[in-house]
Structures are given as C-alpha cells and as structure tokens.
C-alpha cells in the first residue's frame, strides 16, 4: 500500500488530513461533517472508520465511493493503491500478530514535576505524583505535560501529552502508542503497589466513563476514583471487553457537556455508546449523567457532590432516561449520525413502542 497515493486521492477529494502517526484524522466530507477528528484513516491500507456515525472499519474503496456518491468512476482514485480486499476490516488486515510497543523507564523517570498548570486547575501535587506525570523537556513530547499509560503487565505502552507551549498550531493533546488498547488508569499503581482505580471499580461494581484525562483528574481529586478514560467519544473494543470482565452493576457515561454549542457532541456520543452497551449489559446497568458544566474541570467541589446525587437519581429514574435516549437516538438516526446497527438497540429500551 502506497500511502502517498492514498493521501493524494483523499486530498483531491477535499479531505484535510491531520497526521496522527499511523493514521490520519479528517472530517467526513461525504456527509458534510464539521468534526475534524470524525474519520480515522490508516496510512498503510486506507482502512477507515467514521467514529461519529459509529460505523465499523471499512476498506479504502468504500470511502472513495462514499465521497464520490457512486460506485462508478472510482478507479482513477485507486490507481496505484493496492487496497485491502473489499470485504476486509482493520482486524483482518492485522491477522499477523504484532508485538505492542512499550516505552522505556527513562521516558517516565525524566519527566519533571512542573505542576503549576494543573495546580491552577485544582489538581494537587499528590494526585499528579500518583499518576507519575510530569513535564517533558525533550524528544517527541517536548514541552508537554505527559501521563504514562500502563498496561496490565505494569509496562508503559502509551504516553499522553498535554501541550504547555501555547503555540496555536500545536494540537492540545498528543498520544504515542496504540490508544485503542489503553484502559486508563485501571493498571496505575500507587507507591504501595495497589491499583487504585481497579480497586475502586471492583469494590463499588461501578465505573464512570469520561472523555479525557482532565476529567478523570478532577474526579480523583474529589475522591471519585472508579473512573476510566475513553480518550475520545467512542468506547473501544478493548475497553468494552474489560468492562464486561469487571462484573459491573453500574456504568455511567459522563462525556463533556457541549450545551453551549450548536451540537452537543458529548451528549450525542453518550447516547450512541449507551445503545452500544445495551448489546452486552441490561438497561438498568447503564446510565448517562453529563457534567453540569462543560466538563468536570470547570466544576467546584460542591457541584461535583451535587452531580453524584444526580447520577444516583438517574439510576432510580430509568423511565425518564429511557425517554431521553429514545428521542435523541431517533433524531440522530434521522440526521444520519447514528448507524442502523446501533440504532436497532432502541428496541431493547422498555419505553420503546
């Protein structure tokens, strides 16, 4: 697969590609989307996925045909591109096992305890030390506050870096490693070797899913430690597998509340993921409770306490949540922002008629 040919084909069709290492991100040009990270397109095969629409991975040819609005005239865009078989998925293109990349001890030990940025957001030094986070002064994460991501074997298999340079052209976050495999901070250990998040989740039989590390830090700071980060608006297959294995009684979706924007993407994503989870959990085990402000980082201690009360009330009032999910799902489906495969799960809602 020639990724130069893939890039040329996409740019000629109007895709503005954001380089993310192994893949690009872009808006969904074929449906006039405005989310610059809606599509994930792998450079080596062209295999792609529309995360906003909740679709499965598709071959490159399907993206070209969607963009053109026809199955004809696609050959000139595929010239020189040895695309994956038409019925293939990303999983099939990775049939040969690969050893996951891990990072050295130096990548973590050399991080400096410059905590001012997060201190101003109400995050204590103790919390930041727990996550072994710090400022990077060199390499690919230069001038970023880095959070190491640990796997179940206590190896660092990812780095998440928040930009500290204030350079407008730099992305706010940079991720190194395979983000789809991250279950963070489930395997993070404290100084005594205890996995704090895992212990809290197992003991409470509940997990709160948040969009970003900042949200997780704010909840941890307020004593809420049964939290996992999705790193975006979709629950990965790896995270889903782990949720199933944790024997949970409650899963609360708490993505950012974009109430002040034309589209509340956080709310819509919660509805999509709520329906996806219904394939594996009963309706009484899953709930949605958005932050009362844009995100948890903007909320005070008392506001987070009130949010906890609201969260529990949502579990007691499933009928109201059911009606909200059903209406939102219908709107998303009509506007082609929810796939048929996910939408069919509305039939599992007790309020469905």
């Amino acid at each position: 697969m020639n990724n130069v040919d893939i890039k040329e084909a996409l740019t000629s069709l109007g895709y503005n590609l954001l380089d993310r290492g192994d893949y690009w991100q872009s808006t969904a040009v074929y449906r006039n989307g405005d989310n610059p990270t809606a599509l994930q397109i792998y450079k080596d095969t062209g295999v792609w996925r529309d995360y906003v629409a909740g679709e499965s991975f598709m071959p490159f040819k399907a993206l070209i045909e969607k963009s053109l609005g026809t199955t004809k005239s696609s050959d000139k865009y595929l010239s020189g591109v040895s695309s994956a078989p038409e019925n293939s998925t990303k999983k099939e293109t990775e049939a040969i096992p690969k050893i996951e990349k891990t990072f050295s001890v130096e990548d973590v030990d050399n991080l400096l305890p410059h905590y001012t940025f997060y201190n101003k957001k109400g995050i204590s030094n103790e919390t930041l030390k727990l996550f072994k986070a710090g400022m990077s002064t060199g390499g690919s994460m230069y001038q970023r506050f880095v959070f190491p991501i640990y796997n179940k074997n206590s190896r660092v298999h990812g780095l998440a870096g928040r930009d500290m340079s204030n350079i407008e052209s730099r992305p706010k976050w940079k991720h190194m490693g395979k983000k789809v495999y991250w279950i963070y901070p489930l395997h993070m250990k404290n100084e005594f070797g205890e996995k704090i998040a895992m212990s809290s989740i197992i003991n409470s039989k509940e997990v709160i899913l948040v969009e970003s590390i900042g949200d997780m830090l704010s909840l941890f700071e307020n004593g809420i430690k049964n939290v996992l980060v999705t790193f975006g608006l979709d629950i990965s297959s790896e995270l889903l597998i782990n949720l199933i294995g944790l024997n949970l009684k409650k899963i609360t979706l708490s993505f950012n509340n974009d109430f002040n924007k034309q589209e509340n993407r956080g709310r819509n994503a919660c509805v999509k993921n709520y329906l996806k989870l219904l394939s594996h959990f009963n309706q009484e085990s899953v709930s949605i409770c958005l932050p009362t402000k844009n995100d948890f980082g903007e909320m005070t201690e008392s506001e987070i306490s009130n949010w906890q009360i609201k969260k529990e009330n949502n579990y007691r009032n499933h009928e109201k949540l059911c009606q909200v999910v059903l209406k939102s799902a219908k709107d998303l489906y009509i506007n082609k922002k929810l796939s048929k495969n996910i939408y069919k799960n509305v039939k599992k809602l007790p309020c469905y008629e």
Side-chain angles (χ1 to χ4, degrees), residues 51-313:
Y51 278 91
V52 172
E55 296 175 345
S56 301
F57 280 105
M58 299 284 286
F60 183 61
K61 184 178 180 182
L63 179 55
I64 296 298
E65 292 174 349
K66 266 184 174 285
S67 305
L68 293 172
T70 177
T71 58
K72 301 177 181 179
S73 306
S74 63
D75 288 349
K76 71 175 183 177
Y77 294 97
L78 299 170
S79 177
V81 178
S82 178
S83 185
E86 189 164 335
N87 295 322
S88 72
T89 64
K90 180 65 183 173
K91 184 177 179 180
E92 290 168 336
T93 64
E94 295 180 343
I96 300 174
K98 296 181 180 179
I99 298 174
E100 187 182 12
K101 178 182 178 181
T102 57
F103 296 84
S104 68
V105 175
E106 288 74 18
D107 290 313
V108 177
D109 289 347
N110 291 336
L111 298 176
L112 301 179
H114 294 173
Y115 299 149
T116 304
F117 175 83
Y118 280 103
N119 290 159
K120 289 180 179 179
K121 292 178 175 290
I123 310 302
S124 66
N125 291 355
E126 289 72 25
T127 296
L128 295 168
K129 287 176 182 177
L130 171 66
F131 291 99
K132 299 178 175 61
M135 178 75 77
S136 174
T137 59
S140 299
M141 285 290 184
Y142 177 62
Q143 287 190 322
R144 290 182 180 275
F145 194 88
V146 177
F147 296 84
I149 314 296
Y150 288 83
N151 63 18
K152 61 182 179 181
N153 299 315
S154 299
R155 299 290 302 277
V156 177
H157 68 153
L159 299 172
R162 175 46 161 101
D163 180 49
M164 297 287 112
S165 69
N166 295 318
I167 299 174
E168 190 173 338
S169 60
R170 293 187 90 193
K172 181 187 291 186
W173 283 93
K174 180 176 182 179
H175 300 108
M176 296 179 66
K178 294 288 186 180
K179 192 169 60 172
V180 293
Y181 297 131
W182 297 354
I183 314 298
Y184 184 73
L186 191 67
H187 303 296
M188 175 65 69
K189 295 180 180 179
N190 64 10
E191 59 183 314
F192 305 108
E194 180 187 7
K195 294 184 177 181
I196 300 296
M198 179 178 286
S199 296
S200 182
I201 291 168
I202 290 174
N203 291 335
S204 65
K205 293 188 180 298
E206 176 183 5
V207 68
I208 300 163
L209 300 178
V210 297
E211 192 175 325
S212 73
I213 288 178
D215 294 307
M216 180 271 295
L217 290 174
S218 294
L219 291 179
F220 251 76
E221 192 67 32
N222 284 276
I224 304 170
K225 300 177 180 179
N226 54 333
V227 187
L228 294 178
V229 181
T230 58
F231 293 98
L233 296 175
D234 192 45
I235 296 175
S236 69
S237 298
E238 190 75 14
L239 177 54
L240 178 59
I241 291 169
N242 277 265
L243 294 178
I244 294 170
L246 286 169
N247 191 29
L248 299 165
K249 290 185 178 180
K250 295 179 180 179
I251 302 173
T252 304
L253 292 155
S254 304
F255 293 168
N256 289 1
N257 189 356
D258 303 313
F259 62 88
N260 54 352
K261 297 182 180 179
Q262 186 174 358
E263 178 186 358
N264 195 328
R265 289 175 178 158
R267 182 199 62 199
N268 291 346
C270 282
V271 170
K272 294 176 187 178
N273 284 287
Y274 179 96
L275 293 173
K276 286 173 65 176
L277 288 171
L278 291 187
S279 295
H280 307 278
F281 300 91
N282 61 51
Q283 189 252 343
E284 289 78 14
S285 299
V286 187
S287 185
I288 296 171
C289 190
L290 301 181
T292 53
K293 291 186 177 177
N294 181 253
D295 57 42
F296 290 107
E298 295 182 359
M299 294 167 61
T300 64
E301 182 179 350
S302 62
E303 287 171 336
I304 289 178
S305 294
N306 289 334
W307 172 85
Q308 286 184 277
I309 296 171
K310 180 181 177 182
K311 174 176 69 69
E312 293 307 311
N313 287 337

